[in-house]
Amino acid sequence: MKKAALLWGALFVLQTLAFSQTITVKDREDLSPLELVTIVSQNPSVSAVTNARGETSITPFLQAIDIEVRRLGYKSARISMLQLKKMNGLILLEPNTLSMDQIVVSASRWKENASEVPNRISVLTPKDVSFQQPQTSADLLSVSGQVFVQKSQLGGGSPMIRGFSTNRVLISVDGVRMNNAIFRSGNLQNVINIDPFTIQQTEILFGPGSVMYGSDAIGGVMDFTTIKPVYSFSDKMEVSGNAQTRYSSANNEKTSHLTLQLGFDKLAYSGSVTYWDFDDLRMGKNGPDEYLRTFYVETNGTADQSITNSNPLIQKPTGYNQFNTLQKLRYRPAKNWDLEYAFTYSATSDYSRYDRLIRTRGSNPRSAEWNYGPQIWSMNHLSATYLGSNRFFDNAVIHTAYQFFKESRIDRDFGKLVRHTLTERVDVYSTSIDFSKNWNEKHTLSYGLDVVYNDVQSSGFDEDISTPNSQVDAQSRYPQATWFSGAVFAHYQYKQNEYLKWVSGLRYNYYQLDATFDTRFYPFPFTKTNLNDGAIIGSAGLIWNPVKTLTISGTLSTGFRSPNVDDMGKVFDSEPGSVVIPNPNLSSEYAYNAEFGIAQLIENRFKWDVSVFYTLLDNALVRRDFTLNGQDSILYDGELSQVQAIQNAAQATVWGIQGGIQVQLWRGLSVQSHLSYQTGEEELDSGETAPLRHAAPWFGVTRLHYSAKSWKLELNAQYNGEVSNADLAPSEQDKDYMYAIDENGNPYSPAWYTLNLKSQYRINEHWQLFAGLENITDIRYRPYSSGIVAAGRNVTLAVKAIF
């Protein structure tokens, strides 16, 4: 009788709720909608998951008495239907920041619990992005406190992960690899083409990820997932979105962003546009005088003049602007199918390579101009997801994409009339198919294949700035080339019991490179070259949970990087007095990695974790002295230069430790800290070893964070260790224009720290204010290996409207 009364009561409640047709789940602290919340009813046995607006249909629960609401990072809640009526269908979940669980996709390319992955993974959420207000995605990565970011200029940001960087780390956007055939060993800026306003989740997988991602994934994988269009749960069109504007004082940043989402039953749209405008960057007042910008170049007609900088804190010229748009259309033709088309476009203006403009030759600047032309990236991406169990798979995803990259370099020496321009265009076509199959809740197999094809077109010309229409062909940076990769891979997980899990992976990768060289300008002893080979790599690991609050993991893994067009065919001046030329006789480099990690949660108030790793890079592709037709030096750009080439000529080792702590002091107040230490060595021709260039000094971040209903406040410290001259890589030791000078008159990279204050105020559910004071003490510092000095004291103000 009592059960019948409860059932009739539940039916009555649901009838009164039926007008909304939705259950909405939000964060209790800031009322932001929560995606991927699982709602479960035991009787009847049904479940649902919320969308990006924190909503799900109420229909499956029409006959339920109560429901359980669960999401990783939040405390679970059991709610009766009577309570749900009183709350008008709104459920508020309390954050549980010290959870051991987190949903990730970067390890196996499918959603899984981070506690079931032996690799270290750092996750950045939209709430992190919104609160920290990074100017670019490079700045976003540094927010984690676990990725070191180098900058040669304001329009830059080259991530360093565990001693590796550039073409030894991989960038993935919505399941599509961004790395192309001209990703170089020098610092890269491509990550700034990703709009941080459109990112739904960022994952950083540390250590080799080549089993699932292929070539380049040696130091780690940066996996960016952008916002998805959201379907409507009713017959009516649903409209939502947000608009934001931001100002920063250090570079007079003016940024505007708009996102619009339209949802129908089977069709959904999401569109966003962002525009950034940056002026020249101001450095801090307190620090090494060597960093001051004491001069800059002005050109009047054809006459170059070195001008004394009236304010040496202003780094002239560093300003630029950028435009991004992301347009997505999502369609659900049937219950088991989900189709999505996405168009991404990003373009910067010209921007100066600042580290080249601060060099001198005698008493004059070395360069009058040194600019990157507009850096353009576009992607057309079609994906199809099928959810339907059969003998071979439970889920399948197909990605096919076309990407276009364009970049250029424009330079002219001080007092010279000839301007050199190099332009590269890369067309990238890719397809991948991923499958996932689960047996008996103990065995999970993810497997698939991927193919990538790159077409590289490179050109060069010179022009006399005193003579109109004076362009003449010149040596291009690269040969005309194609690069192909095809692979099959598998990732297997075995849950032996509730305490012990085993994971393993295997990949076979075939690659081919074809190139045609132009010998009009340099007498290369070859006109064509072909390179084709294969690589077999694997991984194995275990995760042991003796108790739910303790995880112990270990993994052995291999990674590889196949030679690309930049390795084999580049012609450029690597530094004054040296020139790199093509070398067609290259093979893959391999990384062998071991990692051990522990994470523990104590009484839901204290969490600590630590990972120790060691990586050996064998057959490493490095720059070494070379000869051209028996000559060790050639005349390049009017200067006798040492001939060098990329060669398989060394081994390198990196080891390090990463650790973190989180302490919940009391409700709303917490402390968090991350520290990374890595050190690396590279073998020299003499058999001796030298410091590895991309092994950053120890670095980290500590945060004191407070959250109330409408307020969020954070005081954080970011810090970086010293690199003495003896610990600099040989290629860095003579760069006195980039580093501070020690007591012996030698370049070195000083230690530094900054104090930063961040705040967020939620006026109501539609308006939010953000304010920050960065580098409070106005420290003048230059992050290791960077060409540009970091921002001085910086005030940031932002307003966000949500509709």
Side-chain angles (χ1 to χ4, degrees):
M1 189 72 179
K2 186 175 181 181
K3 286 186 177 180
L6 287 172
L7 179 60
W8 281 106
L11 290 173
F12 172 77
V13 168
L14 280 228
Q15 285 177 352
T16 61
L17 286 173
F19 71 91
S20 67
Q21 295 296 313
T22 60
I23 298 172
T24 303
V25 187
K26 294 185 176 183
D27 183 296
R28 180 179 292 277
E29 290 185 354
D30 61 13
L31 297 182
S32 60
L34 296 179
E35 187 184 11
L36 301 176
V37 177
T38 300
I39 301 176
V40 179
S41 166
Q42 298 296 327
N43 185 21
S45 181
V46 293
S47 65
V49 178
T50 60
N51 62 16
R53 286 193 288 269
E55 299 172 344
T56 189
S57 174
I58 204 169
T59 303
F61 307 100
L62 287 175
Q63 298 183 22
I65 296 173
D66 59 18
I67 56 175
E68 185 177 3
V69 187
R70 302 192 299 256
R71 189 187 191 277
L72 296 177
Y74 288 81
K75 295 180 180 179
S76 298
R78 182 173 292 277
I79 300 170
S80 72
M81 304 313 293
L82 288 172
Q83 289 175 305
L84 192 63
K85 175 183 180 296
K86 292 178 181 178
M87 296 183 293
N88 200 28
L90 175 64
I91 301 172
L92 301 178
L93 290 186
E94 185 174 346
N96 182 13
T97 57
L98 297 183
S99 171
M100 295 286 286
D101 298 322
Q102 210 162 21
I103 292 295
V104 296
V105 298
S106 56
S108 66
R109 308 201 333 187
W110 292 95
K111 290 179 181 178
E112 58 185 326
N113 196 321
S115 64
E116 298 179 351
V117 177
N119 305 76
R120 185 181 188 89
I121 297 178
S122 177
V123 178
L124 297 171
T125 67
K127 293 174 70 173
D128 298 320
V129 179
S130 184
F131 181 70
Q132 297 294 337
Q133 291 288 316
Q135 290 189 344
T136 68
S137 285
D139 299 328
L140 165 65
L141 291 169
S142 68
V143 164
S144 69
Q146 300 180 65
V147 176
F148 188 90
V149 175
Q150 179 276 352
K151 289 187 178 183
S152 297
Q153 62 280 323
L154 184 60
S158 188
M160 297 182 182
I161 303 176
R162 289 189 171 181
F164 299 102
S165 185
T166 60
N167 55 16
R168 289 178 179 143
V169 294
L170 187 131
I171 303 171
S172 174
V173 181
D174 289 334
V176 178
R177 63 177 285 143
M178 192 183 197
N179 293 41
N180 63 45
I182 63 170
F183 266 39
R184 57 191 178 272
S185 57
N187 298 306
L188 289 167
Q189 286 75 243
N190 297 76
V191 74
I192 71 169
N193 284 119
I194 303 170
D195 184 354
F197 288 103
T198 64
I199 295 174
Q200 184 168 304
Q201 180 157 298
T202 302
E203 297 178 27
I204 305 150
L205 184 147
F206 296 91
S210 289
V211 168
M212 302 307 293
Y213 293 92
S215 177
D216 303 2
I218 289 178
V221 175
M222 294 158 284
D223 184 45
F224 297 91
T225 302
T226 61
I227 54 178
K228 293 179 72 69
V230 180
Y231 296 120
S232 171
F233 285 111
S234 66
D235 295 333
K236 297 180 180 180
M237 178 182 73
E238 295 189 9
V239 181
S240 63
N242 66 83
Q244 183 167 327
T245 185
R246 181 176 62 222
Y247 171 78
S248 299
S249 63
N251 54 7
N252 199 26
E253 178 205 8
K254 299 171 285 294
T255 293
S256 298
H257 168 78
L258 174 66
T259 290
L260 174 66
Q261 291 203 332
L262 305 176
F264 302 88
D265 180 32
K266 293 186 176 182
L267 185 67
Y269 162 81
S270 176
S272 70
V273 292
T274 308
Y275 180 77
W276 298 262
D277 183 77
F278 305 105
D279 287 346
D280 295 333
L281 182 66
R282 175 194 172 277
M283 67 180 78
K285 287 184 178 180
N286 307 305
D289 289 344
E290 294 89 355
Y291 294 167
L292 293 172
R293 178 60 159 156
T294 58
F295 69 89
Y296 61 93
V297 175
E298 281 189 357
T299 302
N300 297 308
T302 60
D304 298 323
Q305 186 177 2
S306 180
I307 305 295
T308 299
N309 192 357
S310 60
N311 185 352
L313 300 181
I314 303 298
Q315 300 176 81
K316 291 178 174 285
T318 50
Y320 76 103
N321 59 68
Q322 181 174 333
F323 171 79
N324 272 50
T325 185
L326 173 63
Q327 305 293 320
K328 285 191 176 185
L329 195 62
R330 189 177 176 193
Y331 176 55
R332 182 168 53 193
K335 180 180 179 181
N336 294 336
W337 282 97
D338 195 17
L339 309 179
E340 184 178 290
Y341 167 74
F343 171 71
T344 305
Y345 178 82
S346 173
T348 70
S349 64
D350 287 6
Y351 55 91
S352 298
R353 181 166 173 181
Y354 184 75
D355 65 333
R356 293 296 178 98
L357 295 176
I358 59 178
R359 300 179 303 171
T360 57
R361 182 189 279 130
S363 60
N364 287 322
R366 183 180 180 89
S367 298
E369 312 173 37
W370 216 118
N371 297 321
Y372 285 111
Q375 180 172 288
I376 297 173
W377 171 58
S378 67
M379 179 167 69
N380 290 273
H381 176 205
L382 180 64
S383 64
T385 303
Y386 178 76
L387 306 177
S389 181
N390 58 46
R391 181 183 301 179
F392 303 103
F393 60 85
D394 297 327
N395 307 293
V397 176
I398 301 173
H399 295 279
T400 183
Y402 163 68
Q403 298 179 77
F404 173 73
F405 298 83
K406 181 181 178 182
E407 58 187 51
S408 55
R409 295 161 177 81
I410 305 112
D411 74 281
R412 184 175 61 83
D413 284 351
F414 185 84
K416 299 293 181 67
L417 296 176
V418 177
R419 176 188 292 134
H420 311 288
T421 300
L422 300 172
T423 302
E424 284 72 56
R425 296 175 174 85
V426 185
D427 297 287
V428 181
Y429 307 86
S430 62
T431 297
S432 66
I433 306 175
D434 290 81
F435 302 96
S436 177
K437 181 66 179 177
N438 183 277
W439 293 275
N440 303 325
E441 297 185 354
K442 283 182 172 288
H443 308 271
T444 301
L445 177 66
S446 304
Y447 62 100
L449 59 90
D450 59 47
V451 293
V452 182
Y453 179 82
N454 283 233
D455 183 7
V456 178
Q457 304 161 54
S458 185
S459 62
F461 68 85
D462 294 341
E463 61 180 327
D464 187 326
I465 63 171
S466 68
T467 306
N469 303 316
S470 61
Q471 291 185 3
V472 295
D473 288 345
Q475 175 66 52
S476 61
R477 181 176 172 88
Y478 298 115
Q480 311 311 305
T482 61
W483 184 87
F484 171 81
S485 169
V488 292
F489 55 85
H491 179 274
Y492 172 69
Q493 182 185 92
Y494 172 58
K495 295 183 180 179
Q496 183 171 325
N497 51 50
E498 62 178 312
Y499 308 108
L500 187 62
K501 307 175 187 69
W502 301 85
V503 296
S504 60
L506 188 66
R507 182 186 186 96
Y508 172 74
N509 210 122
Y510 170 81
Y511 58 88
Q512 179 174 325
L513 193 159
D514 296 282
T516 301
F517 294 88
D518 187 345
T519 58
R520 291 178 296 165
F521 306 98
Y522 293 97
F524 302 129
F526 42 79
T527 57
K528 292 180 181 291
T529 190
N530 172 270
L531 174 67
N532 61 82
D533 204 349
I536 299 176
I537 54 172
S539 63
L542 63 85
I543 306 98
W544 180 40
N545 298 101
V547 293
K548 289 185 178 180
T549 56
L550 176 63
T551 297
I552 301 173
S553 62
T555 183
L556 299 173
S557 57
T558 55
F560 83 103
R561 186 173 76 84
S562 61
N564 64 17
V565 177
D566 183 85
D567 297 311
M568 188 198 67
K570 172 172 54 186
V571 179
F572 86 120
D573 60 320
S574 59
E575 56 193 22
S578 297
V579 59
V580 174
I581 69 167
N583 178 15
N585 301 310
L586 299 177
S587 59
S588 291
E589 57 183 10
Y590 290 86
Y592 304 93
N593 181 75
E595 180 175 347
F596 175 78
I598 301 177
Q600 185 178 21
L601 178 62
I602 302 174
E603 296 182 352
N604 288 320
R605 296 185 65 86
F606 179 81
K607 179 184 176 182
W608 67 275
D609 64 84
V610 64
S611 299
V612 181
F613 67 91
Y614 176 86
T615 304
L616 167 66
L617 185 66
D618 192 31
N619 212 31
L621 292 161
V622 293
R623 193 174 71 220
R624 291 287 186 266
D625 289 346
F626 203 58
T627 60
L628 178 62
N629 297 325
Q631 296 182 318
D632 62 6
S633 299
I634 62 173
L635 198 65
Y636 180 80
D637 195 21
E639 182 176 353
L640 188 65
S641 300
Q642 169 69 51
V643 175
Q644 296 182 327
I646 302 296
Q647 304 170 56
N648 294 105
Q651 282 190 340
T653 58
V654 184
W655 77 270
I657 183 169
Q658 293 173 279
I661 60 169
Q662 291 176 265
V663 184
Q664 192 72 38
L665 299 176
W666 59 79
R667 185 170 181 174
L669 184 64
S670 63
V671 175
Q672 182 185 96
S673 188
H674 291 286
L675 184 68
S676 297
Y677 171 83
Q678 50 280 309
T679 183
E681 292 184 332
E682 178 180 285
E683 182 184 11
L684 302 177
D685 284 341
S686 64
E688 298 178 343
T689 60
L692 191 64
R693 177 188 173 194
H694 288 139
W698 66 265
F699 66 95
V701 62
T702 299
R703 309 180 192 279
L704 177 64
H705 189 91
Y706 175 72
S707 293
K709 185 175 181 180
S710 299
W711 278 97
K712 285 186 180 180
L713 296 170
E714 180 181 286
L715 177 66
N716 70 61
Q718 299 185 28
Y719 33 85
N720 191 141
E722 176 184 308
V723 182
S724 67
N725 182 264
D727 290 332
L728 286 173
S731 63
E732 302 294 294
Q733 287 181 341
D734 295 326
K735 295 181 179 178
D736 55 357
Y737 61 91
M738 232 170 62
Y739 290 99
I741 303 301
D742 66 17
E743 58 187 8
N744 298 315
N746 297 317
Y748 84 112
S749 180
W752 54 264
Y753 74 92
T754 62
L755 296 176
N756 312 280
L757 183 65
K758 299 282 186 176
S759 66
Q760 175 182 341
Y761 178 66
R762 185 181 61 83
I763 300 173
N764 54 44
E765 62 181 325
H766 297 295
W767 291 94
Q768 295 179 359
L769 302 178
F770 303 86
L773 182 59
E774 300 172 345
N775 193 359
I776 295 172
T777 55
D778 209 20
I779 296 295
R780 184 187 308 145
Y781 69 99
R782 176 180 265 142
Y784 165 72
S785 191
S786 292
I788 193 169
V789 183
R793 185 181 294 120
N794 183 35
V795 177
T796 63
L797 299 170
V799 180
K800 184 176 183 179
I802 303 169
F803 57 91

